[in-house]
Amino acid sequence: IVMYWAILAVCSALHYRQRLSEKEVQAATLESQLSEARLNALKMQLQPHFLFNTLHSIGALARTGRGEEVVRVVTGLSDLLRRVLTAGGGQLVLLEEELDFVDRYLEIEGLRFQDRLRVTREIAPDVLDAQVPNLILQPLVENAIRHGISVLPKSGRVELRASRRGEQLVIEVRDDGPGPGGPPMGGGIGLANVRGRLEELYGSRAQLELVHDTWGETGGTGTCARLSLPLTASDSAAGESR
């Protein structure tokens, strides 16, 4: 009798453990699917936002009678949309690809601002193959132009930096706009989107800071959007939420 009850207890424990394991797997699967759905929703939110802002630039050029620039912007927009729509469902891309997308976006903005927009880059070669969330930099550049360069009475500068700091990839988008006393530092839909995607992909391992900045060579003030991502976690981030 003792042997019977012992065997029954062991079998019950094993059965309970198996059911608990199945529930844990199911819960993890559901959490992963929910995270992926949230990420796709954020990504889809960003695409029309980017489109509407670019169409606004086209309208601004058209109102000033700059027909040739309008044609070039429309052509550039077509290339960008083709890239966005054919990128597939992947959440991560190489930093080199993301920078190429930003360069094309800056070409469009450069036509609108002409000589009022200057762009400089300091990109470390050893981070070009690092993986970053798709379309993560364009909102930061757009924010720098909209709240920094566009409000200046003279020309302004946007600087892109990327380097490795320990096990982190640090990307900075700097502008020499109003700085202290300028627009609110929280950001709008673009920056909220960036923060939401970082939270879903990396949890507390990544962050976005928007801080006042000082341009040492000129003594002027500006704003810096500093993005920190884990280098070691990038390869697996597409398949996990945190």
Side-chain angles (χ1 to χ4, degrees), residues 64-229:
T64 57
R66 294 158 62 182
E68 292 184 5
E69 285 91 342
V70 169
V71 173
R72 291 171 61 186
V73 171
V74 170
T75 302
L77 176 60
S78 175
D79 292 339
L80 288 178
L81 289 178
R82 185 181 300 109
R83 177 166 177 174
V84 169
L85 296 175
T86 59
Q91 295 293 342
L92 299 177
V93 297
L94 296 181
L95 175 60
E96 186 174 17
E97 297 177 27
E98 184 71 5
L99 289 171
D100 181 66
F101 183 89
V102 169
D103 285 343
R104 293 176 182 269
Y105 172 75
L106 284 169
E107 288 177 6
I108 293 177
E109 292 296 276
L111 289 173
R112 179 160 71 102
F113 286 94
Q114 293 187 321
D115 57 353
R116 288 186 55 210
L117 174 61
R118 293 174 294 142
V119 180
T120 58
R121 297 168 178 79
E122 291 185 14
I123 310 297
D126 62 337
V127 298
L128 287 174
D129 59 350
Q131 289 187 300
V132 299
N134 193 10
L135 298 178
I136 202 72
L137 296 185
Q138 186 272 333
L140 305 184
V141 174
E142 176 188 315
N143 193 69
I145 293 175
R146 181 179 179 185
H147 297 294
I149 309 304
S150 65
V151 298
L152 290 174
K154 54 182 180 58
S155 64
R157 182 167 61 169
V158 171
E159 183 177 68
L160 304 177
R161 292 181 174 181
S163 61
R164 177 172 184 157
R165 298 181 187 175
E167 296 304 319
Q168 292 286 112
L169 169 64
V170 178
I171 304 173
E172 293 181 340
V173 179
R174 305 171 66 209
D175 69 78
D176 59 353
M185 300 297 286
I189 183 174
L191 297 187
N193 186 291
V194 170
R195 290 191 173 97
R197 296 177 68 197
L198 291 178
E199 174 67 21
E200 292 297 330
L201 282 168
Y202 305 106
S204 61
R205 296 173 295 165
Q207 62 178 342
L208 170 64
E209 300 176 277
L210 198 62
V211 298
H212 295 307
D213 196 16
T214 300
W215 292 72
E217 63 273 24
T218 62
T221 57
T223 304
C224 175
R226 184 176 297 114
L227 184 64
S228 299
L229 307 174

Side-chain angles (χ1 to χ4, degrees), residues 27-40 42 91-92 133 194-206 229-230 233-242:
T29 300
L30 290 174
E31 176 64 24
S32 176
Q33 291 174 346
L34 179 60
S35 178
E36 185 68 20
R38 288 193 293 257
L39 282 167
N40 287 330
L42 287 168
Q91 295 293 342
L92 299 177
V194 170
R195 290 191 173 97
R197 296 177 68 197
L198 291 178
E199 174 67 21
E200 292 297 330
L201 282 168
Y202 305 106
S204 61
R205 296 173 295 165
L229 307 174
S234 298
D235 291 335
S236 59
E240 61 184 56
S241 60
R242 301 183 182 181

